[in-house]
């Protein structure tokens, strides 16, 4: 009901709050996005989840957070915002409120109210759990017409009689449970405007299965690309289609105001790395990120070798956002191994074994870093500088590695059909220490009568080893989507984060129809 949208505050103020029998009291405006939380610890940081029963169990359809100023927090229009999108609260939804010292869980009762018939009709009816009900008539502006009247629901049904009036165009009912939680219901959809960045909706993608979450962020990494994807969320009454980058899910079920959609692992494996959109008809979708490229190995400072004094070793990840897991007992590290966060004091002969995990959860290759202490010897380990006993600078070690590309095996002319069916295959000889390669593609175009190069794609691959590297690249990922002349720049690096443009090799490729 449109009139109800401007009167949320008045409706909540009109609801009589009972003395709370728990940490706080929750007032719910059904068919809207509005909650009022009162009676909580002053200045407590409250987290709110709106939960609905789905085919696979509870589905979190909305999250909000805020501070209970003087023990009160308003969620919805004019208050704390719902994250991602603004949900529609329904009867039988569960509201979970948590703070540092406790939590509440409130089920919205199944309350309904039928609008009166304008004119002679005087009865307002509805359903609610057995107990007291307060009902009011509303005018066209949503304001109360006269005083509210009370009734008692018997066997879940209630009726309140009012004097005849030609002005009544709506009605609302207020129900309070024994714990003081209040439910306010309009005889229509009183969906107030939510926060500007989170549009009100009854349908949205709100949950992704745990196998495709990294740090709580929806992500498809190398491990997740081989697993089926399940997404869930609230849904309206109409059937919906759920898509992954435009391709519909073959398995969508709707149950109890929620939907569940499955996508097979093969559908995820076929996607290019980058943003992946999960969308639902008539609702709010979400964007995942696909990143299946493993990071390079971590590096250490000072480097492995023989030292006269016990060194403090720092492990560095190969790229921003990556972390390093390590062990000191000679065992192979895993995701449960310690994460490097402070220098390691090597006081005896020790092997540090380590690997990096990037921000998408992809693990890289493991390295073994051997440190030896031998105060009585100055003989070096081959290729590793040894600190002289007088504390002077060690003799120069081997020259630092530089990324390098040798021979390149690549067809120079290929048909569009072959590219689409088989991709682009290349054989590249990587110099010593070269473990990462960037492929940058430009298409030659004609603009204002002059030939120019237009950037169409750039991607990085990390084979993790030097020597011969055979790679098969997706044509769409390379931007090879139409016939023409393309310039392919191949940039080597010692890791994903240390690419050296001065060692770039260039190859021209013609794509024909």
């Amino acid at each position: 009901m449109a009139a109800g949208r401007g009167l949320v505050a008045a409706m909540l103020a009109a609801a009589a709050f009972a003395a709370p029998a728990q940490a706080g009291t929750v007032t719910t405006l059904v068919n809207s996005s509005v909650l009022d939380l009162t009676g909580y610890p002053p200045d407590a940081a409250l987290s709110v989840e709106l939960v609905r029963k789905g085919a696979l169990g509870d589905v979190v359809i909305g999250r909000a957070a805020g501070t209970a100023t003087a023990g009160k927090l308003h969620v919805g229009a004019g208050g704390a915002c719902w994250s991602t999108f603004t949900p529609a609260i329904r009867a039988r939804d569960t509201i979970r409120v948590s703070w540092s010292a406790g939590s509440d869980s409130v089920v919205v009762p199944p309350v309904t109210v039928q609008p009166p018939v304008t004119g002679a009709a005087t009865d307002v009816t509805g359903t609610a759990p057995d107990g007291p009900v307060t009902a009011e008539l509303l005018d066209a502006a949503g304001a109360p017409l006269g005083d509210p009247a009370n009734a008692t629901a018997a066997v879940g049904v209630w009726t309140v009689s009012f004097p005849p009036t030609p002005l009544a165009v709506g009605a609302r009912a207020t129900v309070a449970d024994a714990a003081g939680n209040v439910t306010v219901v309009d005889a229509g959809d009183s969906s107030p405007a939510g926060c500007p960045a989170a549009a009100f909706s009854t349908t949205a993608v709100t949950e992704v299965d745990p196998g495709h979450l990294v740090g709580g962020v929806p992500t498809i990494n190398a491990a997740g690309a081989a697993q089926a994807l399940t997404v869930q969320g609230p849904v309206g009454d109409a059937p919906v289609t759920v898509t992954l980058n435009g391709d519909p899910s073959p398995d969508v079920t709707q149950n109890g105001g929620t939907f569940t959609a499955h996508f097979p692992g093969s559908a995820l494996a076929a996607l290019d790395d980058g943003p992946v959109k999960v969308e639902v008809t008539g609702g709010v979708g979400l964007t995942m990120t696909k990143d299946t490229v493993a990071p390079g190995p971590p590096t250490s400072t000072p480097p492995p070798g023989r030292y006269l004094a016990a060194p403090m070793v720092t492990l560095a990840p190969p790229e921003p956002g990556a972390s390093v897991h390590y062990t000191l007992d000679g065992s192979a590290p895993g995701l449960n191994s310690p994460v490097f966060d402070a220098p390691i004091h090597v006081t005896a002969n020790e092997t540090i074994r380590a690997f990096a995990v990037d921000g998408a959860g992809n693990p890289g290759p493991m390295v073994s870093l051997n440190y030896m202490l031998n105060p009585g010897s100055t003989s070096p380990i081959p290729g590793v500088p040894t600190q002289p006993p007088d504390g002077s600078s060690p003799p120069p070690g081997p020259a630092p590695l530089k990324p390098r590309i040798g021979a390149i095996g690549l067809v120079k002319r290929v048909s569009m059909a072959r590219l689409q069916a088989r991709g682009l295959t290349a054989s590249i000889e990587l110099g010593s220490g070269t473990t990462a390669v960037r492929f940058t593609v430009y298409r030659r175009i004609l603009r204002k009568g002059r030939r120019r190069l237009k950037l169409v794609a750039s991607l990085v691959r990390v084979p993790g080893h030097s020597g011969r590297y055979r790679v098969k690249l997706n044509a769409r990922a390379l931007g090879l989507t139409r016939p023409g002349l393309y310039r392919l720049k191949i940039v080597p690096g010692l890791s994903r984060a240390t690419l050296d443009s001065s060692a770039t090799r260039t190859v021209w490729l013609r794509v024909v129809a």
Side-chain angles (χ1 to χ4, degrees), residues 216-305:
V217 178
T219 304
I220 303 171
N221 56 23
Q227 303 175 18
L229 170 69
T230 299
V231 297
Q232 299 183 91
V235 71
D237 297 325
V240 296
T241 299
V242 186
T243 61
L244 185 69
N245 268 9
D247 293 328
S249 165
D251 181 10
V252 181
T253 58
Q254 294 179 222
N255 185 330
T258 67
F259 74 86
T260 302
H262 303 283
F263 296 91
S266 58
L268 276 63
L271 297 171
D272 295 332
D273 279 17
V276 175
K277 290 186 176 181
V278 184
E279 297 177 300
V280 56
T281 51
V284 179
L286 61 80
T287 298
M288 306 180 69
T289 298
K290 183 178 180 184
D291 181 352
T292 59
V293 179
T299 57
S300 62
T301 304

Side-chain angles (χ1 to χ4, degrees), residues 111-112 124-135 149-161 173-176:
V111 183
T112 65
V124 177
T125 64
T127 62
D130 293 355
V133 177
T134 300
N150 299 319
T152 298
V155 197
V157 179
W158 56 270
T159 300
V160 178
S161 296
T174 301
V175 179

Side-chain angles (χ1 to χ4, degrees), residues 235-513:
V235 71
D237 297 325
V240 296
T241 299
V242 186
T243 61
L244 185 69
N245 268 9
D247 293 328
S249 165
D251 181 10
V252 181
T253 58
Q254 294 179 222
N255 185 330
T258 67
F259 74 86
T260 302
H262 303 283
F263 296 91
S266 58
L268 276 63
L271 297 171
D272 295 332
D273 279 17
V276 175
K277 290 186 176 181
V278 184
E279 297 177 300
V280 56
T281 51
V284 179
L286 61 80
T287 298
M288 306 180 69
T289 298
K290 183 178 180 184
D291 181 352
T292 59
V293 179
T299 57
S300 62
T301 304
R306 190 187 306 276
Y307 291 86
L308 298 178
M312 298 291 288
V313 177
T314 299
L315 303 179
E319 59 186 67
S323 59
V324 177
H325 295 262
Y326 71 97
T327 59
L328 302 176
D329 59 3
S331 64
L335 294 176
N336 293 326
S337 299
V339 175
F340 176 81
D341 60 2
I344 302 167
H345 194 192
V346 177
T347 58
N349 291 349
E350 197 158 55
T351 297
I352 302 174
R353 306 184 76 186
F355 71 98
V357 178
D358 65 17
N362 297 303
M366 186 191 70
V367 293
S368 293
L369 309 168
N370 299 313
Y371 290 85
M372 283 166 281
L373 297 179
N374 189 356
S377 172
T378 59
S379 34
I381 296 175
V384 177
T386 300
Q387 182 179 355
D390 61 2
S392 61
S393 299
L401 294 173
K402 291 195 65 176
R404 183 175 57 83
I405 290 178
I408 299 175
L410 178 73
V411 295
K412 305 297 177 62
R413 182 184 178 91
V414 62
S415 69
M416 196 75 248
R418 182 183 176 87
L419 274 176
Q420 292 173 346
R422 303 184 185 180
L424 182 68
T425 302
S427 174
I428 306 172
E429 192 67 35
L430 303 179
S432 178
T434 304
T435 62
V437 186
R438 178 185 294 279
F439 299 90
T440 305
V441 184
Y442 301 84
R443 182 166 58 87
R444 195 170 73 176
I445 61 175
L446 192 65
R447 180 174 295 172
K448 295 183 179 180
R450 300 183 60 184
R451 293 176 177 174
R452 300 178 182 271
L453 292 174
K454 177 182 177 182
L455 176 66
V456 293
S458 181
L459 54 89
V460 177
R461 291 291 181 264
V462 183
H465 61 81
S466 55
R468 183 164 295 279
Y469 172 42
R470 299 182 185 276
V471 60
K472 182 178 180 181
L473 301 169
N474 181 278
R476 184 172 294 276
L478 284 175
L480 305 177
T481 58
R482 64 180 69 178
L485 185 62
Y486 293 83
R487 184 184 182 188
L488 176 61
K489 293 175 62 178
I490 306 174
V491 185
L494 300 180
S495 72
R496 189 175 185 175
T498 57
L499 298 167
D500 186 357
S501 58
S502 66
T504 299
R505 295 284 300 275
T506 299
V507 179
W508 287 94
L509 174 68
R510 182 173 294 280
V511 179
V512 297

Side-chain angles (χ1 to χ4, degrees), residues 116-195:
V117 178
T118 302
T122 57
D123 290 342
V124 177
T125 64
T127 62
D130 293 355
V133 177
T134 300
E136 295 177 285
L137 291 176
L138 307 175
D139 63 17
L145 289 169
D147 296 330
N150 299 319
T152 298
V155 197
V157 179
W158 56 270
T159 300
V160 178
S161 296
F162 291 91
T165 170
L167 302 176
V169 294
R172 67 170 168 248
T174 301
V175 179
D177 65 19
N181 299 301
V182 179
T183 301
V184 182
V185 179
D186 250 345
D189 183 359
S190 39
S191 308
C195 295

